[in-house]
Amino acid sequence: METLTTILIGVASFFVLWLGLALLMKTEYTVSRSVIIQKPLESVFSYLKLLKNQDNFSVWAKMDPNMTKTYKGTDGQVGFVSAWYSPMKNVGTGEQEILEIEENVKVVSELRFLKPFKAEATAQMIVKNSGDSQTKVYWQFHGKMKYPFNLLLVFLRMDKKIGGDLAMGLHNLKEILEK
């Protein structure tokens, strides 16, 4: 009986500690990477505002070349939705919707992950003039984790995990646009 009481106290203490630490931790994360592309800003932006073009450079789109894709609306316009389905766990099911387009400045979209877990994030593709026929492209993700699961952000290392994929995607984008 004494052993069972000790175990229960230990488990309860662990959860109290977890909940207390989670109160002190941030609930949001932002990951951003950038690249300079040797093309005029207008040319780069006209390519980026089409969500279907992400299939050409995004690391995530290439994880399952056999994933099912569906589209609603007109690509390159607010309200366009690109949805995907894959039986692969690291790809899953979800959709991306264009929320805002500021011509030659940024495209903001919402990512809704449905399987293997539910989550939402905001993605932005931002372009800035970086000199003569050079464009700096920023790819940014912003997400939230609800309390008490926000403590997992310490272990997930979102900047490293997502950042590498963003950097590789931007490298692919640079290669495509500079050909």
Side-chain angles (χ1 to χ4, degrees):
M1 189 65 138
E2 191 173 309
T3 305
L4 181 60
T5 303
T6 303
I7 291 171
L8 289 174
I9 290 172
V11 169
S13 297
F14 171 77
F15 283 112
V16 168
L17 180 63
W18 178 283
L19 295 173
L21 287 173
L23 281 172
L24 303 173
M25 301 299 296
K26 61 185 178 177
T27 57
E28 299 183 22
Y29 64 90
T30 300
V31 180
S32 184
R33 296 293 186 271
S34 65
V35 70
I36 293 180
I37 297 175
Q38 305 297 323
K39 286 282 186 184
L41 185 139
E42 294 80 10
S43 172
V44 173
F45 188 82
S46 67
Y47 186 85
L48 287 177
K49 77 177 183 179
L50 301 173
L51 279 186
K52 289 180 184 178
N53 285 339
Q54 286 189 10
D55 290 346
N56 302 326
F57 63 88
S58 169
V59 172
W60 300 298
K62 296 177 184 295
M63 285 182 178
D64 180 3
N66 297 316
M67 81 172 86
T68 303
K69 300 278 293 212
T70 58
Y71 306 100
K72 286 190 287 186
T74 304
D75 199 0
Q77 293 185 11
V78 171
F80 177 75
V81 177
S82 171
W84 70 90
Y85 164 78
S86 170
M88 295 175 61
K89 275 190 173 182
N90 60 342
V91 179
T93 301
E95 60 186 19
Q96 183 173 4
E97 179 179 357
I98 298 176
L99 298 180
E100 175 187 350
I101 296 176
E102 190 175 337
E103 197 65 32
N104 295 321
V105 176
K106 68 180 175 180
V107 177
V108 180
S109 59
E110 181 179 60
L111 289 152
R112 295 181 286 266
F113 303 99
L114 306 172
K115 288 182 182 177
F117 56 87
K118 287 192 174 195
E120 291 183 0
T122 303
Q124 291 191 77
M125 299 293 283
I126 302 165
V127 295
K128 294 191 178 184
N129 195 337
S130 188
D132 217 18
S133 291
Q134 289 185 340
T135 304
K136 189 163 191 176
V137 178
Y138 298 87
W139 197 356
Q140 183 179 85
F141 270 63
H142 180 80
K144 298 177 183 180
M145 288 190 83
K146 293 181 180 178
Y147 171 85
F149 302 105
N150 60 313
L151 189 58
L152 293 174
L153 287 173
V154 172
F155 306 106
L156 291 176
R157 298 186 178 149
M158 299 303 268
D159 190 71
K160 185 175 182 182
K161 190 174 196 170
I162 295 174
D165 290 343
L166 294 179
M168 180 57 75
L170 288 170
H171 173 78
N172 296 340
L173 175 67
K174 179 179 176 71
E175 282 187 348
I176 290 167
L177 292 179
E178 289 183 356
K179 279 187 181 177

